Amino acid sequence: WDVGLSVLALSAALFGLVVGIKGFSQGKSCCDGWGSQAATVLSNVKGLAGLFFVLVPPFCALCAWCVAQSFFHLGRFQVKALECFMTSRGLRILQITANLLFFLCLGLSQLLLLWVFGTSFLGHLCQNHMLVSPAQMVAVGISNSPRDMLENVFSPTKDSSTFLMLGLREAMQGMSITNFCETMPYADAYLFDIWMGTFLLMISQSIMAVALRGEKQRVAVHEELEDDYGTMAGEAVQG
């Protein structure tokens, strides 16, 4: 059962990798039409997603092989370098890592989902050319609120750089909806693929954590029985 779950988790991670690669291959420049802060944040989110696509599938392959090697006797295919993960302690380390990756993928997928909703809304605006100019005026109004003008007067050197998250006002600053509609009106399509890829990575880590937990409990029972047997054998020899 645990071996089957680990293989299922690996399959989900590989499928997520394929979908993510499709999204990155079809995606256009992230900076056309966006302001500097929004473009930076979107680039960072996509870069972090690419990092997860590189790290999570190999980790799933490692976990699946460790679970299979722990459950079955693989003979000449036994990898001695992985024997440190065959103990309950080693499997627990892998389980904690899988749990950590699950929560990281969960947070990343939520960020990407917000970008999918935002770009999808802009895509609908681009389909109706009469709404582009009013939407641009609204974006300029949001990004140039009275509070921002006062901050620019009293603290002109203030730098509010962001990494992964930004508010609506920051997202609208410097945005050109006209350029967005001319260059990438269907950006939500490739962002949706990247989001789906990270979502599948998240699912794979949740399944892998369950598989590792089950195998860890099975190995812990065997280790406890071996310790009890060794204690009883030692007492018999001394007796």
Side-chain angles (χ1 to χ4, degrees):
W1 173 253
D2 295 327
V3 176
L5 286 178
S6 63
V7 173
L8 179 62
L10 177 60
S11 301
L14 293 177
F15 186 62
L17 175 62
V18 172
V19 176
I21 291 176
K22 176 187 174 185
F24 277 105
S25 62
Q26 294 180 352
K28 298 181 180 179
S29 174
C30 69
C31 304
D32 294 333
W34 295 105
S36 59
Q37 294 192 42
T40 300
V41 171
L42 182 55
S43 297
N44 293 337
V45 172
K46 290 172 59 180
L48 186 60
L51 179 62
F52 278 103
F53 287 131
V54 172
L55 295 179
V56 174
F59 174 75
C60 283
L62 171 65
C63 293
W65 187 266
C66 289
V67 173
Q69 183 169 313
S70 175
F71 191 83
F72 299 108
H73 180 68
L74 301 180
R76 61 177 182 176
F77 296 104
Q78 199 88 357
V79 181
K80 294 184 178 180
L82 299 179
E83 291 182 355
C84 58
F85 297 113
M86 301 300 102
T87 62
S88 60
R89 183 177 181 180
L91 292 170
R92 179 174 178 80
I93 293 175
L94 293 178
Q95 179 193 354
I96 293 175
T97 305
N99 289 328
L100 177 61
L101 289 175
F102 166 78
F103 286 109
L104 292 176
C105 290
L106 174 61
L108 180 61
S109 65
Q110 298 305 306
L111 291 177
L112 283 168
L113 189 59
L114 292 176
W115 282 102
V116 171
F117 285 149
T119 52
S120 178
F121 176 74
L122 292 176
H124 287 294
L125 288 179
C126 294
Q127 294 177 5
N128 192 339
H129 299 287
M130 297 181 62
L131 296 177
V132 174
S133 296
Q136 182 64 56
M137 295 177 62
V138 172
V140 173
I142 294 176
S143 61
N144 294 308
S145 64
R147 188 185 73 177
D148 289 337
M149 289 188 290
L150 292 176
E151 289 179 353
N152 292 332
V153 172
F154 293 103
S155 58
T157 60
K158 182 180 179 181
D159 184 15
S160 57
S161 59
T162 54
F163 182 64
L164 293 177
M165 300 181 65
L166 75 168
L168 180 61
R169 181 178 291 115
E170 290 80 7
M172 295 294 102
Q173 289 178 352
M175 182 175 186
S176 174
I177 300 179
T178 302
N179 291 338
F180 178 89
C181 294
E182 291 177 353
T183 55
M184 52 177 199
Y186 304 105
D188 59 320
Y190 85 89
L191 286 176
F192 177 82
D193 288 336
I194 298 177
W195 168 79
M196 180 58 69
T198 57
F199 180 78
L200 290 172
L201 292 183
M202 179 191 70
I203 296 298
S204 70
Q205 292 312 289
S206 63
I207 299 174
M208 186 61 73
V210 174
L212 291 169
R213 180 175 181 272
E215 184 62 20
K216 179 199 68 177
Q217 292 177 346
R218 189 190 70 83
V219 172
V221 171
H222 283 279
E223 290 176 349
E224 184 177 355
L225 292 176
E226 289 177 358
D227 293 339
D228 293 341
Y229 179 78
T231 301
M232 293 174 61
E235 293 177 351
V237 171
Q238 293 177 0

